[in-house]
């Protein structure tokens, strides 16, 4: 029998885990700078939170993990963070607080997608949701934050792709225009897009099918159907982005993969070797009806999410290190049970002062112990033999300079604290 990981999942081994931790702390720090508070919601939700009447995106309909628990309740593993965060915002009545609510989150999501580079069935996202403001300034802040997240990490050629779908009124008009445009050529559309034409025509703009791409070349675009209010909103967002010198590019075909979006939608792309064009590092946008749909008051929201696997692999590809290579401060080398016991006692003191230390646990000889010390690139080696035990001293050797000094066991911690 084979014991293997579930298709589309991956293990994080200790060397990679350090990068994850570094990225997570970087993200937390950045959100703190922008005054966002963390929210942690469950990985599973009752299915009706995810499968809402208005959400007919392929992702939610075709790619979610749905199952029944033993009490016959319908549950869904969250495929994204937004729906659960809004459910929690409503359930915990966070809307009762004065002002705007700025939330951020980090955690695993699940989508039954075809696994490929940068696409997994369990993947990590960090993201944010801001609830309670219709002001274009919050659209600009959320885009600024998304851009800064990538830019400050040192990724070059970051681009913000931006579009507006407009308010419900504009969206409705656009939807009709698209249906009117595509209906006469319906037969020429791919099978998927023919289905989309009736239930979700906007998604056709996203199609990768060559025939569809050809047919939609001259299709009407959302920007051409914005009413005055929506146009003003979008222009105000652009003005603020210009003010902050955030580079962006208007992508008139950008509609994003979820149906809840209205007004501003955006994606963050970085030009990275080996990354397909469709591999956005992150994306998001405004949603006006989600809070209401999940039982709350009429409250607008905007947010985004980044895929953390993609971000880490982009950083690796660009040679950007988040952590310095692992290095021990000291490694103990001993020769017998007595010296080992003493070393364990000394090591306990060093560790309580946060000195990074390790010791052999296989009763190996001098050479393998030395090899291990070098493998961990230990700054110092501490040697304890019979002589040292008798004289209450250790040999402290600097592995770079090869300089060796005798230090009293009583002052070892202080000596190291000074040296390191
Ligand atoms: P999304 O575009 O579906 O948006 O996902 C955001 C990011 O998650 C993507 O750009 C990608 O980096 C990553 N991602 C998505 N699927 C996978 C996968 N299968 N494997 C690896 N990475 C993946 C959302 O999820 C929205 N909730 C964003 C948002 C928040 N909109 C408003 N608020």
């Amino acid at each position: 029998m084979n014991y293997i990981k579930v298709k589309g999942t991956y293990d994080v081994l200790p060397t990679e885990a350090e990068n994850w931790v570094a990225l997570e702390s970087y993200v937390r720090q950045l959100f703190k700078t922008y005054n966002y508070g963390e929210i942690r919601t469950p990985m599973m939700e009752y299915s009706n939170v995810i499968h809402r009447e208005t959400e007919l995106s392929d992702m939610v309909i075709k790619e979610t993990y749905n199952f029944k628990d033993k009490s016959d309740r319908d549950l869904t593993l969250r495929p994204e963070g937004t729906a659960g965060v809004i459910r929690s915002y409503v359930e915990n009545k966070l809307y009762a607080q004065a002002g705007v609510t700025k939330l951020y989150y980090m955690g695993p999501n699940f989508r039954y997608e075809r696994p490929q580079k940068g696409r997994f069935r369990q993947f990590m996202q960090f993201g944010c949701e801001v609830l309670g403001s219709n002001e274009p300034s919050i659209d600009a802040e959320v885009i600024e934050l998304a851009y800064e997240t990538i830019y400050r990490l040192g990724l070059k050629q970051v681009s913000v792709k931006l579009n507006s779908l407009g308010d419900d009124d504009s969206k409705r008009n656009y939807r009709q225009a698209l249906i009117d445009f595509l209906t006469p050529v319906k037969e020429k559309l791919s099978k998927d897009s023919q289905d989309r034409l009736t239930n979700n025509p906007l998604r056709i703009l996203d199609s990768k099918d060559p025939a569809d791409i050809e047919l939609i070349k001259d299709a009407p675009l959302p920007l051409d159907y914005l009413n005055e209010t929506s146009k003003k909103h979008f222009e105000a967002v652009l003005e603020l982005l210009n003010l902050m010198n955030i580079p962006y590019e208007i992508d008139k075909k950008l509609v994003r993969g979820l149906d809840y979006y209205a007004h501003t939608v955006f994606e963050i792309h970085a030009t990275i070797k080996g990354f397909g064009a469709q591999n956005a590092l992150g994306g998001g946008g405004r949603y006006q009806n989600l809070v209401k749909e999940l039982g709350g008051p009429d409250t607008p929201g905007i947010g985004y999410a980044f895929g953390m696997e993609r971000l880490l692999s982009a950083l690796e590809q660009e040679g950007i290190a988040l952590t310095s290579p692992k290095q021990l401060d000291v490694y103990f080398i001993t020769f017998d049970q007595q010296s080992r016991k003493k070393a364990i006692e000394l090591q306990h003191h060093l560790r309580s002062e946060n000195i990074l230390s390790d010791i052999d646990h296989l009763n190996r000889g001098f050479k393998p112990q030395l090899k291990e010390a070098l493998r961990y690139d230990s700054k110092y080696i501490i040697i304890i033999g019979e002589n040292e035990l008798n004289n209450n001293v250790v040999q402290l050797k600097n592995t770079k300079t090869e300089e060796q000094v005798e230090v009293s066991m009583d002052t070892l911690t202080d000596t190291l604290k000074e040296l390191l």
Side-chain angles (χ1 to χ4, degrees):
M1 202 202 275
N2 265 346
Y3 298 102
I4 55 168
K5 61 182 176 291
V6 171
K7 187 172 175 185
T9 67
Y10 57 87
D11 300 312
V12 178
L13 303 178
T15 41
E16 301 149 58
E18 291 197 4
N19 283 330
W20 280 94
V21 173
L23 180 60
E24 287 160 14
S25 356
Y26 162 79
V27 166
R28 282 179 207 286
Q29 192 50 50
L30 195 60
F31 276 123
K32 206 168 153 187
T33 312
Y34 280 72
N35 198 25
Y36 286 62
E38 184 175 1
I39 185 163
R40 299 184 187 201
T41 64
M43 277 182 255
M44 51 186 176
E45 293 283 350
Y46 287 124
S47 297
N48 65 355
V49 173
I50 312 287
H51 291 274
R52 302 173 308 276
E53 225 168 76
T54 52
E55 189 57 63
L56 300 171
S57 55
D58 280 3
M59 190 275 275
V60 167
I61 301 289
K62 296 185 185 164
E63 296 174 358
T64 43
Y65 284 86
N66 306 298
F67 56 98
K68 282 195 186 288
D69 71 6
K70 288 189 176 175
S71 300
D72 213 31
R73 298 180 188 101
D74 288 309
L75 303 181
T76 298
L77 293 184
R78 66 175 176 209
E80 53 123 28
T82 312
V85 167
I86 304 305
R87 192 267 312 138
S88 172
Y89 172 82
V90 174
E91 194 171 345
N92 293 290
K93 297 195 173 52
L94 297 187
Y95 51 77
Q97 295 167 358
V100 167
T101 308
K102 302 211 244 179
L103 304 168
Y104 83 88
Y105 51 88
M106 209 180 297
N109 299 278
F110 305 84
R111 296 184 190 177
Y112 194 81
E113 295 203 70
R114 197 164 63 79
Q116 49 188 295
K117 195 172 162 38
R119 223 173 259 286
F120 302 92
R121 289 186 173 167
Q122 177 178 333
F123 61 98
M124 286 286 288
Q125 276 187 345
F126 66 80
C128 65
E129 310 298 339
V130 181
L131 286 315
S133 172
N134 266 318
E135 287 301 309
S137 60
I138 200 67
D139 301 42
E141 174 177 298
V142 165
I143 295 169
E144 174 203 5
L145 180 48
Y147 174 78
E148 284 292 315
T149 307
I150 302 305
Y151 183 76
R152 289 193 197 184
L153 280 171
L155 286 173
K156 293 170 206 85
Q157 295 180 302
V158 183
S159 64
V160 179
K161 292 193 174 167
L162 196 64
N163 197 14
S164 173
L165 307 176
D167 59 11
D168 284 346
D169 196 31
S170 313
K171 274 174 73 178
R172 224 176 352 258
N173 287 338
Y174 173 64
R175 187 189 143 98
Q176 195 52 52
L178 194 59
I179 295 176
D180 293 346
F181 177 85
L182 289 172
T183 306
V185 291
K186 186 175 173 184
E187 302 308 313
K188 294 187 190 155
L189 286 169
S190 67
K191 171 79 187 68
D192 274 351
S193 288
Q194 288 185 21
D195 295 343
R196 290 178 187 129
L197 190 57
T198 30
N199 50 33
N200 205 348
L202 258 70
R203 199 75 329 106
I204 301 176
L205 296 192
D206 253 353
S207 172
K208 303 285 173 289
D209 183 281
D212 291 350
I213 292 175
E214 187 56 34
L215 288 169
I216 57 177
K217 240 182 27 207
D218 301 317
L221 292 165
L223 273 190
D224 302 326
Y225 285 79
L226 296 190
N227 58 18
E228 270 317 300
T229 334
S230 306
K231 220 183 270 174
K232 270 203 188 128
H233 183 93
F234 193 46
E235 280 163 7
V237 175
L238 300 184
E239 190 191 340
L240 290 169
L241 292 178
N242 290 335
L243 213 67
M244 291 187 283
N245 269 328
I246 309 284
Y248 61 83
E249 195 184 302
I250 294 177
D251 178 350
K252 293 184 174 183
K253 286 206 165 80
L254 182 70
V255 288
R256 307 261 312 124
L258 285 140
D259 287 340
Y260 51 61
Y261 292 114
H263 285 292
T264 321
V265 285
F266 64 96
E267 279 182 358
I268 310 286
H269 291 256
T271 317
I272 285 146
K273 273 190 300 235
F275 268 57
Q278 86 261 40
N279 271 358
L281 293 176
R286 204 169 242 294
Y287 44 88
Q288 303 298 85
N289 301 323
L290 215 44
V291 178
K292 207 166 49 187
E293 275 174 32
L294 287 165
D298 192 358
T299 309
I302 178 165
Y304 69 74
F306 275 92
M308 296 175 77
E309 295 80 8
R310 287 183 197 180
L311 202 45
L312 283 174
S313 93
L315 290 170
E316 191 187 346
Q317 193 72 38
E318 295 295 295
I320 299 168
L322 291 174
T323 53
S324 38
K326 188 173 166 184
Q327 192 176 25
L328 281 182
D329 292 327
V330 299
Y331 192 88
F332 281 88
I333 295 183
T334 59
F335 296 92
D336 52 27
Q337 283 306 326
Q338 282 312 99
S339 53
R340 269 170 57 76
K341 270 191 204 156
K342 193 68 200 174
I344 287 168
E345 183 192 333
L346 290 170
Q347 174 166 259
H348 176 71
H349 292 299
L350 298 192
R351 284 174 168 170
S352 67
E353 293 291 336
N354 292 324
I355 295 173
L356 277 67
S357 169
D358 211 350
I359 189 169
D360 175 61
H361 289 284
L362 293 170
N363 286 324
R364 289 179 290 188
F366 179 80
K367 262 201 177 157
Q369 290 186 66
L370 183 62
K371 227 170 142 186
E372 189 94 326
L374 298 178
R375 184 164 79 85
Y376 288 124
D377 198 15
S378 189
K379 294 176 195 156
Y380 289 91
I381 297 170
I382 294 175
I383 304 164
I384 309 175
E386 204 182 326
N387 260 345
E388 283 75 23
L389 262 187
N390 291 337
N391 298 316
N392 200 43
V393 293
V394 301
Q395 303 299 330
L396 180 67
K397 183 168 179 164
N398 182 318
T399 52
K400 290 278 133 11
T401 61
E402 305 240 319
E403 196 187 331
Q404 185 168 319
V405 286
E406 196 169 273
V407 178
S408 156
M409 289 186 185
D410 303 331
T411 57
L412 178 63
T413 311
D414 290 338
T415 308
L416 277 168
K417 269 164 70 182
E418 256 171 53
L419 287 173
L420 289 164

